[in-house]
Structures are given as structure tokens and as C-alpha cells.
């Protein structure tokens, strides 16, 4: 989870100003703003969150599985 939080922080720092999203360009229309937000922030964050969710799911699934005793 620390990696997810760090990635989110880095994304905000890379694409933001004082904690707010700072779009690039000269007042693009709302379609371009939406596209830019998806490209620069939302898609990347969604990928990181989906990966973290998959890892958490796999850990939960692994812990619910009956484990075999290892013999020496």
C-alpha cells in the first residue's frame, strides 16, 4: 500500500500545483480537459489501484487455501 500512496503522491506532484490539478495548454475546451485528465492522471492511477486490488485479492485467496504440511 505504501507504493500505491507514493505513486499517487508522485502523480499529484508531477501534474499538480499546490495539491490541485494543473492542466497544460491555453484554456482547452472541456473535451480536451477530460481527455488530458484521463491520459495524465486517471488512467495511471486506475492501473495502480487495480494492481493493488489484485495483489490484495491474491493474498486473501492464498490465506484461505488449506496449506499442505511441508515434510523434511
Amino acid at each position: 500500500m505504501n507504493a500505491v500512496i507514493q505513486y499517487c503522491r508522485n502523480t499529484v506532484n508531477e501534474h499538480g500545483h499546490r495539491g490541485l490539478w494543473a492542466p497544460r495548454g491555453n484554456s482547452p475546451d472541456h473535451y480536451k480537459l477530460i481527455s488530458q485528465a484521463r491520459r495524465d492522471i486517471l488512467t495511471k492511477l486506475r492501473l495502480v489501484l487495480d494492481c493493488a486490488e489484485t495483489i490484495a485479492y491474491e493474498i486473501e485467496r492464498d490465506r484461505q487455501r488449506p496449506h499442505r504440511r511441508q515434510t523434511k
Side-chain angles (χ1 to χ4, degrees), residues 45-63:
L45 292 179
R46 188 172 292 120
L47 176 63
V48 170
L49 295 172
D50 288 346
C51 289
E53 186 67 35
T54 299
I55 291 168
Y57 172 78
E58 288 298 323
I59 291 169
E60 289 172 337
R61 196 173 86 168
D62 185 62
R63 289 181 182 236

Side-chain angles (χ1 to χ4, degrees), residues 1-64:
M1 291 314 297
N2 289 334
V4 172
I5 291 169
Q6 185 63 44
Y7 186 85
C8 292
R9 183 181 299 135
N10 290 344
T11 301
V12 168
N13 289 338
E14 184 180 332
H15 296 287
H17 177 71
R18 295 185 180 179
L20 300 172
W21 177 51
R24 292 171 291 182
N26 297 333
S27 302
D29 65 29
H30 68 281
Y31 292 110
K32 289 181 181 178
L33 284 173
I34 292 168
S35 176
Q36 189 179 62
R38 283 186 175 131
R39 182 184 63 244
D40 293 347
I41 299 171
L42 298 175
T43 302
K44 294 175 184 179
L45 292 179
R46 188 172 292 120
L47 176 63
V48 170
L49 295 172
D50 288 346
C51 289
E53 186 67 35
T54 299
I55 291 168
Y57 172 78
E58 288 298 323
I59 291 169
E60 289 172 337
R61 196 173 86 168
D62 185 62
R63 289 181 182 236
Q64 291 174 357

